[in-house]
Amino acid sequence: MDVYEAARSRRAVRGFTDRPVPRETLERVLSAAAWAPSGSNIQPWHAYVLTGGPLAELKERAGERVATGDAWDEPEYEMYPPELKSRYRERRSAFGEQRYGALGIPREDIEARQRAAAANWDCFGAPAALFCYLHRDMGGPQWSDVGMYLQTVMLVLRAEGLHSCTQMAWAKYHKTVAEVLSPPDELILFAGMAIGFEDVAVADARIGRAPLDETVTFVDDGL
């Protein structure tokens, strides 16, 4: 797949088939993604890949927490600033409208929105999932490195005909994830990622992007 096509076709897919993803495909993708850039080549990411029984166990444990109304775990990092400034706030709001609008869920139907959000804990039906950790003492640049790694994973997945959905939501149940993965205490969970083949029958929205002049400034001779 052409790299431009991979970048344009990558999106957060929230509906997957149960078609298995071969182990060798995942190994090929992650071997290529290991070439993602990182400051001084420290490669701060620690990835766990779940399929089969272990993933089913995690989904079951998370589903039980949802069903019993169990509160989220104490957050280990701040996902968004407490007060998003204008422009960013509007973009986030527009995302919610498009996301739930595609599902036919009105803004005021909080219960339906919660049910839709609960699909996170099933990885939207995906048969494979990646959980990305990094050391707790890492700084902002290393978190940026992890973001570049995950983006590289997602682009290479597209070359394999696969889709993905990065899920910071799993950080809300980081203790449940740890029960299954048993990561060292010095690692912090950044995000999960659902991986699989898209279920095209599931309604979803292709979320747009801001126009180039909102996010890019060219400084040149004006020629």
Side-chain angles (χ1 to χ4, degrees), residues 1-202:
M1 179 180 291
D2 175 85
V3 67
Y4 281 93
E5 182 182 355
R8 283 191 293 260
S9 64
R10 186 225 60 83
R11 60 189 179 85
V13 165
R14 295 181 176 86
F16 295 88
T17 70
D18 59 2
R19 176 182 170 187
V21 180
R23 167 74 175 266
E24 57 268 26
T25 300
L26 294 170
E27 290 182 348
R28 186 163 56 244
V29 166
L30 295 173
S31 293
W35 291 96
S38 63
S40 296
N41 197 34
I42 67 172
Q43 304 165 67
W45 47 82
H46 294 259
Y48 292 76
V49 179
L50 275 73
T51 59
L55 180 56
E57 179 185 354
L58 176 58
K59 290 180 178 182
E60 182 179 0
R61 287 174 180 248
E64 288 175 354
R65 290 189 63 175
V66 173
T68 59
D70 194 6
W72 289 338
D73 296 333
E74 188 71 22
E76 297 192 291
Y77 69 90
E78 191 171 77
M79 292 186 182
Y80 301 98
E83 295 294 334
L84 274 176
K85 295 185 182 299
S86 182
R87 179 180 294 185
Y88 309 112
R89 183 175 61 251
E90 286 80 6
R91 288 175 186 166
R92 188 181 184 190
S93 177
F95 161 76
E97 290 180 7
Q98 293 179 63
R99 160 78 178 130
Y100 294 109
L103 298 174
I105 301 174
R107 175 187 290 272
E108 61 274 11
D109 194 340
I110 304 301
E111 184 177 340
R113 286 191 171 210
Q114 290 175 337
R115 286 197 302 271
N120 271 289
W121 318 123
D122 185 49
C123 293
F124 304 105
L130 179 150
F131 292 86
C132 192
Y133 288 78
L134 70 164
H135 274 264
R136 297 178 183 277
D137 57 358
M138 292 296 180
Q142 287 75 55
W143 285 74
S144 175
D145 291 342
V146 169
M148 289 188 284
Y149 169 72
L150 292 175
Q151 171 73 343
T152 305
V153 171
M154 290 185 282
L155 292 178
V156 182
L157 285 170
R158 291 300 302 121
E160 296 283 354
L162 293 159
H163 274 286
S164 61
C165 182
T166 306
Q167 301 170 271
M168 284 195 299
W170 276 108
K172 299 179 183 296
Y173 280 174
H174 61 85
K175 291 182 180 179
T176 298
V177 178
E179 289 172 0
V180 176
L181 299 182
S182 300
D185 290 340
E186 64 266 22
L187 296 185
I188 182 172
L189 176 61
F190 171 44
M193 180 189 294
I195 297 172
F197 295 92
E198 181 182 11
D199 184 349
V200 297
V202 175

